[in-house]
């Protein structure tokens, strides 16, 4: 073998060694960043800078798109979500049944907040009769029970109605950008009644673990969230009063918009947002300008409200049982998706 051939062979081996070393180093960096995420059973340990650094590593990694997709999905899946779904006994075989057969079981733990004599493992029975004017008391009882029994079992808590449809994977993806040990809550943001605004109860809203602790410890237990008669909200609406108490307890609002300023939580069904068939009040009440047409909703939409049982089954089938050939690999892994650097 000639000297030039030997040198070429050594160079080739050296190149392979360098490539192997670079690949191994990149994997170690990913695991190091990934290690910031708490193990199952613990709260998320990251703060904003951890997330930012992790994103830089992930979005600039040289691994294949499929590998990055898999790693991101595994990280997001570790976010522990507890779902509280408000329902009534008369709706168990219709609305609640549709929710139970579709998105509810995608939560890590879920309960139906209900006034009932029935006993079920997924019931959170509260001793508050069904009455729209008593919803605020019903949810307060539910939050206090979750605080007492399950506070260490979740990172974020979702409150939704039995006519809400939730895309749980997208919700977890949004929540992954936040630290559960910091107080905060998010949803469809109404800019009314409360200084910082409040989240639509029907569209669903999410409270961080630390936020729920503040709600109970600083709000309910300190007696600073007692209801008062208000001319602008005589029925003491649950979502408004919860928002008021969260603000008093030091829980700020986090944005839920995507990077393009589109909503992820929606107070009405998809078709009404698409066609602009919305009640007039929402245009002045919404914190952010309402968009119609395809810009109405984020590609990573999270929730829709006032969805009938048949439509819940339909949405679920189209999302999870239907695939468009050539478009299955649609995760935007090359850059951020949400405005997670904004806290309002």
């Amino acid at each position: 073998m000639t000297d030039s051939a030997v040198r070429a062979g050594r160079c080739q081996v050296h190149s392979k060694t360098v490539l192997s070393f670079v690949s191994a180093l990149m994997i170690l960096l990913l695991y190091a960043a990934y290690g910031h995420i708490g193990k199952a059973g613990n709260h998320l340990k990251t703060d904003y800078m951890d997330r930012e650094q992790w994103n830089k590593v992930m979005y600039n990694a040289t691994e294949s798109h499929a590998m990055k997709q898999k790693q991101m999905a595994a990280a997001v899946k570790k976010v522990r979500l507890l779902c509280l779904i408000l329902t009534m006994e008369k709706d168990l075989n219709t609305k609640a049944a549709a929710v139970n057969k579709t998105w509810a079981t995608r939560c890590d733990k879920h309960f139906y907040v209900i006034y009932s004599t029935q006993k079920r493992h997924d019931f959170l029975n509260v001793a508050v009769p069904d009455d729209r004017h008593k919803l605020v008391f019903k949810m307060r009882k539910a939050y206090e029970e979750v605080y007492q029994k399950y506070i260490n079992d979740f990172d974020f808590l979702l409150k939704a109605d039995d006519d809400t449809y939730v895309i749980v994977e997208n919700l977890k993806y949004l929540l992954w950008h936040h630290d559960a040990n910091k107080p905060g809550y998010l949803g469809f943001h109404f800019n009314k009644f409360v200084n910082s605004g409040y989240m639509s109860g029907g569209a669903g809203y999410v409270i961080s673990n630390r936020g729920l602790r503040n709600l109970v410890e600083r709000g309910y237990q300190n007696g600073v969230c007692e209801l008062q008669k208000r001319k602008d909200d005589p029925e003491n609406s649950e979502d408004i009063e919860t928002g008021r108490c969260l603000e008093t307890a030091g829980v700020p609002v986090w944005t839920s918009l995507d990077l393009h300023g589109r909503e992820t939580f929606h107070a009405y069904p998809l078709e009404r947002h698409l066609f602009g068939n919305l009640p007039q009040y929402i245009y002045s009440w919404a914190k952010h300008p309402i968009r119609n047409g395809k810009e109405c909703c984020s590609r990573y939409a999270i929730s829709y409200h006032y969805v009938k049982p048949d439509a819940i089954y339909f949405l679920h089938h189209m999302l999870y049982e239907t695939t468009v050939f050539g478009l299955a690999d649609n995760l935007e892994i090359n850059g951020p998706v949400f405005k997670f650097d904004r806290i309002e």
Side-chain angles (χ1 to χ4, degrees):
M1 186 181 292
T2 63
D3 289 344
S4 59
V6 171
R7 285 195 295 272
R10 288 175 178 171
C11 183
Q12 191 174 28
V13 171
H14 179 69
S15 297
K16 289 181 178 179
T17 302
V18 170
L19 285 172
S20 297
F21 174 76
V22 171
S23 297
L25 179 61
M26 188 59 67
I27 290 171
L28 285 173
L29 286 171
L30 285 167
Y31 275 117
Y34 184 79
H36 285 297
I37 301 174
K39 297 179 180 179
N42 297 324
H43 298 310
L44 297 181
K45 300 299 183 183
T46 57
D47 57 23
Y48 172 72
M49 291 307 296
D50 292 329
R51 297 287 188 200
E52 185 176 50
Q53 187 61 37
W54 204 97
N55 283 336
K56 286 180 180 178
V57 173
M58 177 59 84
Y59 296 141
N60 294 315
T62 58
E63 281 85 353
S64 68
H65 183 78
M67 180 179 290
K68 288 188 286 184
Q69 229 180 1
K70 185 177 180 180
Q71 290 167 335
M72 177 66 85
V76 169
K77 192 174 182 180
K78 287 183 176 289
V79 176
R80 298 174 301 152
L81 180 68
L82 186 153
C83 299
L84 295 184
I85 303 149
L86 189 61
T87 192
M88 294 185 287
E89 204 162 35
K90 70 180 183 65
D91 295 322
L92 286 177
N93 295 323
T94 52
K95 295 179 180 180
V99 168
N100 202 47
K101 292 176 182 177
T102 56
W103 65 267
T105 55
R106 294 177 179 270
C107 305
D108 296 282
K109 188 187 293 289
H110 73 276
F111 294 107
Y112 293 94
V113 181
I114 191 169
Y115 174 71
S116 173
T117 57
Q118 294 186 47
K119 302 296 181 183
R120 264 176 44 177
H121 73 280
D122 58 353
F123 274 13
L124 199 65
N125 276 297
V126 291
V128 179
D130 295 326
D131 184 326
R132 180 175 179 83
H133 297 279
K134 295 180 180 178
L135 284 181
V136 62
F137 302 107
K138 196 172 185 178
M139 288 311 304
R140 174 169 175 165
K141 289 282 188 183
Y143 292 141
E144 288 174 334
E145 186 165 343
V146 167
Y147 174 83
Q148 292 167 5
K149 296 180 179 179
Y150 307 108
I151 194 62
N152 295 317
D153 296 343
F154 67 92
D155 300 307
F156 296 92
L157 181 149
L158 165 72
K159 179 270 171 183
D161 289 351
D162 56 9
D163 60 350
T164 309
Y165 186 83
V166 179
I167 305 171
V168 173
E169 292 84 352
N170 288 354
L171 174 56
K172 283 194 172 190
Y173 186 27
L174 170 60
L175 296 177
W176 178 83
H177 293 84
H178 292 286
D179 187 346
N181 289 321
K182 293 181 179 179
Y185 92 120
L186 50 79
F188 183 82
H189 195 177
F190 282 124
N191 195 27
K192 291 277 288 184
F193 303 113
V194 184
N195 291 333
S196 58
Y198 73 99
M199 304 299 119
S200 164
Y205 58 79
V206 180
I207 308 173
S208 70
N209 185 285
R210 181 68 258 177
L212 187 73
R213 291 173 189 266
N214 281 18
L215 178 67
V216 175
E217 295 169 3
R218 299 184 184 181
Y220 299 155
Q221 293 178 355
N222 279 348
V224 297
C225 294
E226 298 303 320
L227 297 185
Q228 302 175 20
K229 289 188 177 181
R230 304 178 190 278
K231 291 182 179 180
D232 55 358
D233 180 35
E235 68 179 43
N236 292 121
S237 302
E238 179 276 321
D239 46 10
I240 296 175
E241 291 299 336
T242 300
R244 200 186 308 277
C245 191
L246 284 164
E247 181 180 74
T248 302
V251 181
V253 171
W254 291 340
T255 185
S256 59
L257 299 180
D258 72 8
L259 201 63
H260 304 288
R262 297 174 299 202
E263 299 283 357
T264 55
F265 290 78
H266 302 88
Y268 288 89
L270 171 60
E271 63 271 19
R272 296 193 66 174
H273 285 276
L274 277 174
F275 302 130
N277 182 23
L278 297 168
Q280 199 59 38
Y281 83 89
I282 200 170
Y283 291 93
S284 58
W285 283 30
K287 170 71 173 179
H288 307 287
I290 296 294
R291 302 180 186 181
N292 300 322
K294 68 177 183 179
E295 290 298 310
C296 72
C297 316
S298 172
R299 185 181 180 187
Y300 287 83
I302 289 168
S303 75
Y304 295 99
H305 187 214
Y306 295 123
V307 185
K308 296 179 179 179
D310 286 353
I312 286 179
Y313 290 120
F314 175 79
L315 273 173
H316 198 77
H317 185 89
M318 294 304 295
L319 285 168
Y320 295 99
E321 303 297 335
T322 304
T323 300
V324 178
F325 179 74
L327 295 181
D329 188 9
N330 63 358
L331 184 61
E332 295 177 4
I333 200 68
N334 295 318
V337 171
F338 301 108
K339 291 187 175 182
F340 61 90
D341 58 335
R342 285 182 53 194
I343 296 180
E344 300 176 357

